[in-house]
Amino acid sequence: MSLNVVKFPVFPHLKKIIFPPRWLILFFLFLILNPVSSYAQEDLSSSWFNYHRVNMLVFLIFFFAVIVIFIERAKVGKSLFIRRIAGLDAIEEAVGRATEMGKPVLYISGIEDVDNIQTVASMIILGNVAKMVAGYETPLYVPVCMPFVVPIAEERVKEGYAAAGKPEAYNRDNVRYISSEQFAYAAGVNGIMMREKPAANLMFGSFYAESLLMAETGLATGAIQVAGTANIHQLPFFIVACDYTIIGEELFATSAYLSKEPKLLGSLKGSDLAKAIIMIILAVGALLDTLGITHFASWFYIE
Amino acid sequence: MGTGEILWNGLALFLTLSIFSILYKDNPFYKIAEHLVVGVSAGYFAIILYYNSFIPKVWVPVVHESKFLYILPTILGVLMWTRFSRKWSWVSRYPIAAYMGIGMGVAIPVTMQAYILVPLYATMQPIGFTSMALFNNLLVAAGVLCALVYFFFSKEHTGAFGGVAKVGIWTLMVGFGAGFGLTVMGRVSLLIERFTFMRDYLQKLFGF
Amino acid sequence: MRREVPIVICFLAGLSFILEYFIPHQSVRPFFENFRQWAIIVMTFAYVLGISNIVRVNYHVIHRKGRDWFYKIILIVGLFFMIIMGVFFGGIGEGTVFFWMYNNAYSPLQSTMFALLAFFIASAAFRAFRVRTFQASLLAITALIVMLGRVPVGENVWKSFPDLVEWIMNVPQLAGKRAIMIGAALGAISTALKVLVGLERTYLGGE
């Protein structure tokens, strides 16, 4: 009986683990043999390549390849299963409640500029929230902390309204630059929360100490609150003060999911594969380290 | 303490109390302080950018040192102002694209290094049951693996997989609790600092 | 011109900074350093958009005597007061009006907003302890243990409290933190990559 006909009815994924694809075996062999570490040199100021970072180059190329492969697979129509992301339901529910009540929706995009990837993810979500809100007679307030975010937020909201067939409902004054100072921004946002009384507060992006100031004020005004950030130190406060919190990678997944484009969803799948490989590396590395083989783990050391 | 200082510090005290008044409810004093902090901080940033960026990075190099290369970023910057025109606002995409490109380009390798390779390397430690240190290493590695399972999107969180993901979210929650508990003390010390400021001012003013 | 050129600009800018990470050669360092300065210069000009947004939005409220219009005047006055003082009245050095405004208006307002967190965190903690779910109770109990372990009274109650806190910080907290870091980094890098190659065109807006 050839190995290929062995059936795994109980746990089909076991097959993939026991018989990994050839490229994965080669990748691991490469890591274990660690053929490039001996090239390391000290003074690099006259060198055109930092050999200490060759491991990084390998991982970047590998990760980019995985993402691109999955995006290509999605483009040619291969069905890619992605589980329903709970944060998405929470956003829809919050916006739905606000529109039902005829009360405003407040969208807070964090306090960093668009050179921060979390802010980019937040802008993607904003466009979709605008599309959800546009159909109803409720305003969408977007207080902004950084100047570059102003034009992007304006465009995203305008585009969302246009996509919902309501371009005339877009009010440019609802995208408001507040201040680039975090607590002044928090004060301005809190002012909107207390006086405009939005029924839904959506907070997605990069947050720091001001997170709790805003989330607690929002809670006191009785709004339904959904927050999402990858800033670990602020997550506990969002969890305590918000109805639903999107944690870390879920923020990027939600933005990919909301875009609804299969090719963007493909990247989620690629990210999952990379995660699985990282998990295998972690487990193998810890086991080899236990056996006294530190060669493998040293591949991941970076200066 | 001179009259000028008394007045300036008095303003600081008044604004401090005005902000604290929000703990009671929204009121005119808080509204004054809130609008003042927003306006003053926006003006503050404008001036800081003017002196720390525009003057040394644009004005001095171009006008005084004839370094005309700096005209290029200046043009890119000025292109941002096409946002004021309905017809030409699309031109502002050029500087935005450059700004985002630089941001993403800087972030990709740094994120890969600091948030993937460094924690990965740190977690690959000897594991076992024979000593507390080894056992703790095992728990950390297991905790990381379970929590990573929670972040899987390609598979429903059901059955054994869901069970592991559940342990993952528990690990995260314990971590969040620790973060919360740790921050409380820091926040209380900030409050004490404000109270110390108010006490010192009143002491100086009334000499007790 | 409207869509393709920005995508190419974004890609080239991004690619060059990825390459910068791998090129230590001294001759290219100044080039990238200059490029970084460019980003700050562009940001400086973009700030004018922020100021114009503040003025426009608040002017509209003041003009139609909308709610709280009086306070919007305070906001605008504060904004221009700082700008005028900073540019025309002695700059920003010690002893200038700008400096005094910074020390006695901006700074206390900012630190008092920060200090408000002490009250907010207390109410958040109070709510956290009225636990609703098992997960929330894990958070609350751990927070309580860490708080107790960090104050002298905790050690009086149980002498091993500080050790327990140290274990929590070094084991479950560390594991959770690392997992979030790794997961979020993967999501962030793939989002950044999509932006660079033009699959994600959020920044372009509509036509």
Side-chain angles (χ1 to χ4, degrees):
Chain A
M1 192 171 72
S2 103
L3 283 174
N4 288 335
V5 293
V6 176
K7 295 272 188 289
F8 288 89
V10 181
F11 191 17
H13 295 276
L14 205 60
K15 188 177 168 185
K16 285 183 201 160
I17 294 169
I18 296 173
F19 310 116
R22 238 168 302 169
W23 59 266
L24 195 61
I25 298 173
L26 285 174
F27 180 65
F28 267 87
L29 266 178
F30 180 69
L31 293 185
I32 292 168
L33 294 174
N34 201 351
V36 285
S37 63
S38 54
Y39 288 106
Q41 46 178 262
E42 286 315 309
D43 181 28
L44 294 166
S45 60
S46 57
S47 167
W48 285 97
F49 182 71
N50 187 342
Y51 293 97
H52 294 302
R53 290 175 172 177
V54 70
N55 47 0
M56 175 71 110
L57 187 66
V58 172
F59 292 121
L60 271 185
I61 293 173
F62 176 74
F63 185 62
F64 284 4
V66 167
I67 298 286
V68 171
I69 287 168
F70 274 92
I71 288 174
E72 288 303 317
R73 283 178 67 165
K75 267 188 190 167
V76 296
K78 284 222 173 191
S79 84
L80 300 173
F81 171 77
I82 298 288
R83 71 175 164 87
R84 182 86 183 147
I85 296 168
L88 198 69
D89 299 330
I91 296 172
E92 281 168 2
E93 195 191 322
V95 173
R97 203 181 90 166
T99 49
E100 256 171 40
M101 295 165 77
K103 282 186 160 190
V105 173
L106 179 66
Y107 191 95
I108 305 166
S109 58
I111 65 161
E112 291 217 41
D113 221 333
V114 282
D115 57 345
N116 183 294
I117 309 171
Q118 292 188 63
T119 312
V120 176
S122 176
M123 288 295 110
I124 301 170
I125 299 174
L126 171 63
N128 291 284
V129 169
K131 216 184 293 176
M132 290 179 208
V133 175
Y136 304 87
E137 298 288 308
T138 49
L140 168 65
Y141 294 119
V142 187
V144 173
C145 185
M146 285 291 166
F148 259 111
V149 183
V150 175
I152 298 179
E154 282 177 352
E155 287 297 321
R156 287 300 284 165
V157 176
K158 198 163 119 188
E159 214 183 323
Y161 275 76
K166 294 263 181 177
E168 73 289 345
Y170 167 67
N171 179 357
R172 202 175 163 208
D173 280 2
N174 286 346
V175 177
R176 300 171 185 176
Y177 173 76
I178 305 281
S179 168
S180 295
E181 202 283 316
Q182 66 177 141
F183 293 110
Y185 177 69
V189 170
N190 284 358
I192 299 176
M193 284 180 178
M194 286 184 294
R195 286 158 221 139
E196 310 286 350
K197 297 251 183 317
N201 296 337
L202 308 173
M203 300 173 244
F204 298 110
S206 178
F207 291 89
Y208 292 87
E210 73 293 338
S211 66
L212 186 65
L213 280 177
M214 300 191 291
E216 276 290 306
T217 308
L219 185 92
T221 60
I224 233 189
Q225 303 201 98
V226 186
T229 185
N231 289 11
I232 300 164
H233 295 104
Q234 303 314 317
L235 280 164
F237 306 117
F238 278 146
I239 288 173
V240 170
C242 296
D243 297 277
Y244 193 86
T245 306
I246 288 167
I247 301 167
E249 195 186 353
E250 290 178 310
L251 174 69
F252 303 104
T254 305
S255 68
Y257 203 105
L258 271 169
S259 66
K260 295 260 173 16
E261 281 189 54
K263 60 185 181 203
L264 295 185
L265 276 177
S267 71
L268 261 185
K269 204 86 178 167
S271 195
D272 266 6
L273 178 65
K275 212 175 305 154
I277 290 169
I278 284 175
M279 288 167 73
I280 298 170
I281 288 174
L282 202 160
V284 171
L287 286 174
L288 289 178
D289 237 38
T290 312
L291 299 172
I293 305 165
T294 54
H295 206 52
F296 180 80
S298 69
W299 236 98
F300 301 88
Y301 178 74
I302 195 147
E303 282 177 28
Chain B
M1 197 157 58
T3 319
E5 205 179 335
I6 289 176
L7 287 176
W8 278 114
N9 285 353
L11 173 70
L13 178 75
F14 167 74
L15 294 174
T16 301
L17 290 172
S18 299
I19 291 280
F20 277 138
S21 71
I22 189 62
L23 294 167
Y24 172 57
K25 66 174 189 180
D26 195 19
N27 63 74
F29 291 111
Y30 176 76
K31 283 185 188 174
I32 291 174
E34 176 205 307
H35 286 84
L36 202 60
V37 70
V38 171
V40 165
S41 71
Y44 170 79
F45 266 89
I47 290 301
I48 292 300
L49 282 175
Y50 176 73
Y51 281 110
N52 292 348
S53 176
F54 180 75
I55 296 288
K57 293 187 173 89
V58 178
W59 188 256
V60 172
V62 175
V63 177
H64 296 293
E65 296 169 359
S66 305
K67 288 181 182 166
F68 296 114
L69 188 67
Y70 282 81
I71 291 179
L72 272 172
T74 309
I75 292 172
L76 267 185
V78 172
L79 288 183
M80 279 305 289
W81 296 351
T82 57
R83 291 284 312 168
F84 294 122
S85 149
R86 201 168 285 236
K87 191 177 167 198
W88 295 102
S89 69
W90 61 271
V91 180
S92 66
R93 290 171 186 171
Y94 291 10
I96 292 175
Y99 190 75
M100 281 185 80
I102 294 174
M104 300 298 112
V106 171
I108 287 174
V110 170
T111 309
M112 180 70 110
Q113 175 181 334
Y115 297 107
I116 297 180
L117 294 190
V118 169
L120 191 59
Y121 178 74
T123 314
M124 285 190 279
Q125 300 286 331
I127 51 173
F129 297 93
T130 46
S131 77
M132 196 58 196
L134 290 177
F135 185 60
N136 280 344
N137 288 344
L138 174 66
L139 287 180
V140 172
V144 172
L145 289 176
C146 292
L148 278 175
V149 166
Y150 171 77
F151 290 116
F152 259 85
F153 302 102
S154 319
K155 197 169 157 41
E156 287 290 357
H157 286 177
T158 48
F161 191 79
V164 176
K166 201 168 264 181
V167 177
I169 190 74
W170 293 345
T171 312
L172 294 179
M173 284 297 161
V174 171
F176 292 147
F180 191 105
L182 208 62
T183 316
V184 171
M185 303 311 290
R187 299 294 181 254
V188 171
S189 65
L190 288 169
L191 184 65
I192 293 170
E193 187 268 325
R194 286 325 289 163
F195 282 139
T196 314
F197 158 75
M198 290 194 279
R199 187 201 61 195
D200 288 351
Y201 177 73
L202 292 173
Q203 267 180 352
K204 274 189 212 160
L205 196 63
F206 298 111
F208 59 82
Chain C
M1 276 299 273
R2 292 185 180 206
R3 298 188 81 83
E4 287 74 19
V5 176
I7 290 171
V8 171
I9 292 175
C10 185
F11 177 73
L12 291 178
L15 184 69
S16 54
F17 272 88
I18 294 175
L19 291 177
E20 186 231 0
Y21 183 83
F22 297 102
I23 306 174
H25 201 279
Q26 55 195 3
S27 61
V28 297
R29 309 311 298 175
F31 169 76
F32 285 111
E33 194 35 54
N34 269 335
F35 221 36
R36 256 178 241 264
Q37 298 297 326
W38 284 27
I40 300 171
I41 294 170
V42 177
M43 204 267 274
T44 307
F45 283 90
Y47 197 76
V48 174
L49 295 183
I51 298 290
S52 82
N53 181 292
I54 294 185
V55 174
R56 191 191 70 228
V57 170
N58 289 291
Y59 170 74
H60 286 166
V61 179
I62 296 166
H63 183 68
R64 60 178 156 80
K65 293 241 165 42
R67 186 167 49 183
D68 291 335
W69 65 273
F70 173 73
Y71 300 102
K72 308 296 175 196
I73 295 176
I74 294 178
L75 192 157
I76 297 291
V77 168
L79 167 71
F80 284 106
F81 184 77
M82 288 301 269
I83 293 178
I84 292 166
M85 288 300 144
V87 177
F88 301 109
F89 290 86
I92 56 175
E94 204 166 320
T96 58
V97 178
F98 184 89
F99 174 82
W100 282 104
M101 275 300 281
Y102 173 80
N103 271 348
N104 296 293
Y106 178 77
S107 182
L109 281 169
Q110 184 198 29
S111 25
T112 314
M113 281 301 292
F114 202 178
L116 273 183
L117 274 173
F119 296 101
F120 283 31
I121 209 169
S123 74
F126 178 72
R127 204 157 359 83
F129 295 131
R130 293 187 318 191
V131 285
R132 290 159 292 183
T133 62
F134 175 67
Q135 286 178 16
S137 65
L138 273 178
L139 188 150
I141 292 165
T142 319
L144 186 69
I145 293 171
V146 171
M147 274 188 257
L148 281 174
R150 292 266 157 169
V151 289
V153 72
E155 206 172 346
N156 292 341
V157 175
W158 181 41
K159 72 173 173 40
S160 295
F161 250 132
D163 298 333
L164 179 60
V165 170
E166 207 184 315
W167 181 84
I168 289 173
M169 297 312 290
N170 291 334
V171 179
Q173 196 270 145
L174 193 66
K177 193 166 108 178
R178 284 180 182 166
I180 293 178
M181 277 161 100
I182 294 171
L186 289 173
I189 295 171
S190 72
T191 305
L193 180 69
K194 283 183 282 183
V195 171
L196 284 191
V197 298
L199 275 173
E200 180 53 68
R201 300 168 184 194
T202 306
Y203 63 95
L204 293 179
E207 272 314 306

